[in-house]
Structures are given as C-alpha cells and as structure tokens.
C-alpha cells in the first residue's frame, strides 16, 4: 500500500491503463455525498460482500482506494495486500478533501 495525495492520485490514474478506483464507504455516504466517477463501490463495513469482491479481483491491476477520510481505505488496502493484491494506493484525506469531479448514483 502506498499513501498518496490528490495530485499524485490524478497523475497516476491519468497514466495507468490498469487503474481501478474503489470506494469503500457506506451506501449512505455514497448516496448522500456522491462518488468519484468510474469508482466501484464495495462497503468495507459489509465484510462478506467486500471480501467476495476482493477475492475476485485481478492481482495485475492497480487499485486506487478511498473512503470518507482515509482510515477505512487504508484498512482496505492492507486487507487487499494480504489477499494477494500488491498494488494498492490509499487516497490521503479521502472524499472529504476531494477537489475533483464527483457524481451521484
């Protein structure tokens, strides 16, 4: 896992054909606050669903993970690393500090 700021996040994703963005917040947070366009949503507080999703992920991809403030996404990255996904990036400050584009689903 590597902690990255928004500037690093944007640069890395812009040049990464293997980038997958993961939002690990709750459904309520996503509904109320929005989501980064293109992100997949897997709530880390729903362990069975989250673990099933992680177990089906491609280890050759690069996973850019965020939550509301950065704590849950760091935990998600650690879990993903332990399960064989070596390339995880945690967004420092999370969605609360996100200054980029958002959308509602």
């Amino acid at each position: 896992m590597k902690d990255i700021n928004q500037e690093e996040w944007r640069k890395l994703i812009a040049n990464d054909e293997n980038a997958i963005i993961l939002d690990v917040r709750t459904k309520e947070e996503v509904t109320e606050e929005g989501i980064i366009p293109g992100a997949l949503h897997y709530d880390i507080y729903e362990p069975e669903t989250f673990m099933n999703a992680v177990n089906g992920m491609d280890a050759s991809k690069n996973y850019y993970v965020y939550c509301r403030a950065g704590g849950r996404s760091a935990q998600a990255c650690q879990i993903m690393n332990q399960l064989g996904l070596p390339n995880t990036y945690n967004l420092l400050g999370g969605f609360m500090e996100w200054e980029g584009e958002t959308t509602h689903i």
Side-chain angles (χ1 to χ4, degrees), residues 2 7 10 13 19 21 24 26 29 48 50-51 53 57 63-64 71 74 83-84 89-90 102-103:
K2 182 177 181 187
E7 184 178 333
R10 285 189 189 95
I13 286 178
I21 302 170
V24 297
T26 66
E29 287 172 311
E48 185 175 340
F50 180 77
M51 294 303 286
M57 291 179 184
Y63 295 92
Y64 297 83
L83 294 175
Y89 301 89
N90 177 45
T102 63
T103 189

Side-chain angles (χ1 to χ4, degrees), residues 8-52:
E8 293 170 308
W9 173 283
R10 285 189 189 95
K11 285 180 184 175
L12 288 169
I13 286 178
N15 299 307
D16 188 347
E17 294 179 7
N18 289 314
I20 296 179
I21 302 170
L22 298 180
D23 184 322
V24 297
R25 297 174 298 154
T26 66
K27 182 178 180 179
E28 292 77 22
E29 287 172 311
V30 170
T31 301
E32 291 171 12
E33 300 169 3
I35 192 168
I36 295 174
L40 302 175
H41 176 241
Y42 298 112
D43 183 350
I44 195 168
Y45 287 156
E46 293 180 4
E48 185 175 340
T49 303
F50 180 77
M51 294 303 286
N52 286 339

Side-chain angles (χ1 to χ4, degrees), residues 59-105:
S60 70
K61 302 291 184 184
N62 300 315
Y63 295 92
Y64 297 83
V65 187
Y66 72 94
C67 64
R68 190 158 194 271
R72 285 175 283 173
S73 52
Q75 181 183 9
C77 287
Q78 290 172 346
I79 292 168
M80 294 167 73
N81 291 161
Q82 290 171 357
L83 294 175
L85 300 170
N87 304 316
T88 59
Y89 301 89
N90 177 45
L91 178 62
L92 293 170
F95 196 79
M96 277 183 10
E97 295 183 17
W98 180 249
E99 296 173 354
E101 187 180 349
T102 63
T103 189
H104 279 64
I105 56 172

